[in-house]
Amino acid sequence: ETGVTQTPRHLVMGMTNKKSLKCEQHLGHNAMYWYKQSAKKPLELMFVYSLEERVENNSVPSRFSPECPNSSHLFLHLHTLQPEDSALYLCASSQVLWGEQGSRGYTFGSGTRLTVV
Amino acid sequence: GQNIDQPTEMTATEGAIVQINCTYQTSGFNGLFWYQQHAGEAPTFLSYNVLDGLEEKGRFSSFLSRSKGYSYLLLKELQMKDSASYLCAVRDNSGYSTLTFGKGTMLLVSP
């Protein structure tokens, strides 16, 4: 399998639930990202991991908790979410070399459509 | 920080040519990307510009003027399958060169 795979594709959860989103990349990239895509808004960067270390956290509420156990896997743990957190959550990977990315930038997964009820 | 503007929606007819503009203001610039996103799918890479000028790739071309903070994506010989959202994104020159995206331009191609 190649590319970036996200599971599940769709998720409906109550505000008191705990769930996790999973992302797996088979491209040998060394950086992974979580983005949030809401209607009529640009993609918003949430977290950046490089070589399994979190290097950026864009003022994301603590109800979102990322985990990167190795360079191929990235998780987003969710708990006590709010209805406004309903969105498409996109994972992406890239190869960062000496602070530069390759000309293709990111490879995205298909996303998880999250609905909080 | 980054600020990226592009039109919200555009319409065109099959076989025509359409130009989608993108303007940006950035605190650091290290390349501009265009992605295509069909509804419910992942964004896919279309083009990349880091130097001024035109990059051509089949039916798609992208232009960059760094002094004007301006880019456009040109789509020729439009096909129905080109109906999608087109995302303009700027890469900064921070250590991990993250991408900042515009809101996207929804293009509707009609017969």
Side-chain angles (χ1 to χ4, degrees):
Chain A
E1 189 176 350
T2 59
V4 180
T5 304
Q6 288 187 245
T7 54
R9 289 295 306 271
H10 301 274
L11 178 63
V12 179
M13 60 185 289
M15 290 189 283
T16 58
N17 291 160
K18 289 185 180 181
K19 296 286 184 183
S20 296
L21 309 184
K22 179 181 177 182
C23 177
E24 187 173 357
Q25 60 101 356
H26 306 273
L27 300 167
H29 288 167
N30 60 8
M32 296 184 77
Y33 312 80
W34 280 116
Y35 277 83
K36 176 184 178 183
Q37 188 173 35
S38 304
K40 302 188 187 301
K41 285 187 172 183
L43 272 78
E44 302 170 57
L45 179 65
M46 299 177 73
F47 300 104
V48 181
Y49 274 83
S50 179
L51 298 173
E52 302 146 45
E53 181 179 337
R54 189 190 310 181
V55 296
E56 193 160 332
N57 175 350
N58 256 13
S59 302
V60 179
S62 59
R63 58 186 183 268
F64 295 91
S65 175
E67 178 189 2
C68 187
N70 56 61
S71 60
S72 299
H73 294 85
L74 185 65
F75 294 89
L76 188 63
H77 304 300
L78 317 171
H79 65 96
T80 60
L81 293 192
Q82 304 298 310
E84 60 265 28
D85 297 323
S86 298
L88 180 67
Y89 288 84
L90 288 164
C91 173
S93 70
S94 72
Q95 184 65 17
V96 178
L97 298 172
W98 302 104
E100 298 286 337
Q101 286 177 329
S103 63
R104 289 194 171 267
Y106 299 164
T107 300
F108 283 94
S110 296
T112 295
R113 173 68 62 186
L114 173 67
T115 303
V116 181
V117 297
Chain B
Q2 320 272 28
N3 185 37
I4 301 171
D5 289 311
Q6 51 182 131
T8 303
E9 292 181 350
M10 298 183 72
T11 58
T13 55
E14 207 171 5
I17 299 173
V18 71
Q19 178 174 311
I20 303 175
N21 296 324
C22 173
T23 58
Y24 63 90
Q25 298 91 39
T26 63
S27 55
F29 178 84
N30 191 19
L32 187 142
F33 294 78
W34 285 96
Y35 283 83
Q36 179 191 62
Q37 186 178 24
H38 286 99
E41 297 183 14
T44 55
F45 170 82
L46 287 179
S47 70
Y48 166 72
N49 296 72
V50 67
L51 300 176
D52 291 350
L54 188 68
E55 294 284 339
E56 297 186 81
K57 188 186 295 184
R59 294 190 299 116
F60 293 2
S61 303
S62 57
F63 172 83
L64 175 67
S65 170
R66 289 172 296 170
S67 62
K68 295 182 180 178
Y70 168 69
S71 172
Y72 67 73
L73 179 69
L74 192 71
L75 294 78
K76 304 175 186 175
E77 302 169 16
L78 282 173
Q79 302 173 11
M80 299 293 288
K81 67 178 183 179
D82 297 328
S83 293
S85 183
Y86 290 85
L87 309 177
C88 175
V90 172
R91 185 169 70 193
D92 62 31
N93 53 15
S94 64
Y96 297 94
S97 300
T98 51
L99 295 185
T100 301
F101 287 83
K103 292 183 180 180
T105 299
M106 180 62 67
L107 174 66
L108 178 62
V109 180
S110 57

